[in-house]
């Protein structure tokens, strides 16, 4: 496990994070998915060590060491994470996994002076947009109506009721198992807030993104339709979509290798294909 730390976020509350790799390596900020945390699996830690990058996984409000906090929109994240971006210093590469994608877009749009490039792994698309949302099945649309308009405690209770299913889906993945247990202990308050913010106005649009974005996504992703991601990336200036050949929502070993090799390349043009 990486070294766990906290600092005071831009909202005046504790913000948790963990560091992996080399302390003097090029900084990379990682943003977890809907049920994740700053604790990463060995595959992530090993790649950070191998490539010599400074990988910093941050926890959004209500997850891990980050205190619960209200957010009006995804855009609020930029202010909250400002102190960590300042600590990291040089322009950082920002990685978003699944539901961490909107927060990667946010920093690339609202803090371009601090971001070198954004990278998405099985990233959530801009589901506020009607055309993007239209690629999802009716069951997803009904769930989003509940997430966006329902009482947050009810949404948290819904996730808690699905806890055993989530645990089974991540059997053998110890960091995720621990993250799920932590979510259950808080009544899934963090994921409930996240689900609400995803489907509402983000406070910016993909067209506002000012740094290049590279997304890896599988056509066999059973949670996020490839076409929805394709339509979102088409809205991003400098956006580029690479296909993950392996099916499924989780990033494959090949995708992670390509990501880390690109992150570690000091001569990389962030606009060029890795």
């Amino acid at each position: 496990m990486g070294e766990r730390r906290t600092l005071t976020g831009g909202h005046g509350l504790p913000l948790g994070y963990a560091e992996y790799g080399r302390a003097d390596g090029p900084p990379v900020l990682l943003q977890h998915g809907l049920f994740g945390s700053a604790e990463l699996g060995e595959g992530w830690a090993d790649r950070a060590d191998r490539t010599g990058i400074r990988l910093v996984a941050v926890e959004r409000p209500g997850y891990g060491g980050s205190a619960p906090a209200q957010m009006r929109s995804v855009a609020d994240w930029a202010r909250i994470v400002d102190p960590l971006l300042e600590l990291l210093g040089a322009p950082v590469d920002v990685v978003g996994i699944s539901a961490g994608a909107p927060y990667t877009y946010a920093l690339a749009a609202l803090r371009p002076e601090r971001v070198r490039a954004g990278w998405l792994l099985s990233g959530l698309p801009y589901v506020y947009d009607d055309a993007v949302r239209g690629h999802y099945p009716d069951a997803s649309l009904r769930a989003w109506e509940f997430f966006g308009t329902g009482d947050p405690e009810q949404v948290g209770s819904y996730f808690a009721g699905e806890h055993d299913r989530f645990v089974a889906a991540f059997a053998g993945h110890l960091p995720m198992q621990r993250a799920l247990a932590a979510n259950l202990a808080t009544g899934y308050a963090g994921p409930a807030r996240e689900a609400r913010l995803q489907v509402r106005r983000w406070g910016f649009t993909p067209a506002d993104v000012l740094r290049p974005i590279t997304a890896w996504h599988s056509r066999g992703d059973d949670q996020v339709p490839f076409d929805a991601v394709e339509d979102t990336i088409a809205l991003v200036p400098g956006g580029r979509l690479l296909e993950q050949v392996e099916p499924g929502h989780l990033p494959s070993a090949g995708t992670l290798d390509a990501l880390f090799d690109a992150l570690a390349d000091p001569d990389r043009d962030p606009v060029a294909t890795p």
Side-chain angles (χ1 to χ4, degrees), residues 90-105:
V92 302
D93 285 287
V94 183
V95 179
I97 307 170
S98 189
Y103 304 92
T104 296
Y105 285 126

Side-chain angles (χ1 to χ4, degrees), residues 261-274:
D261 287 346
L263 293 172
D265 183 359
D267 299 320
R268 169 180 54 84
D269 177 352
V271 179
T273 302

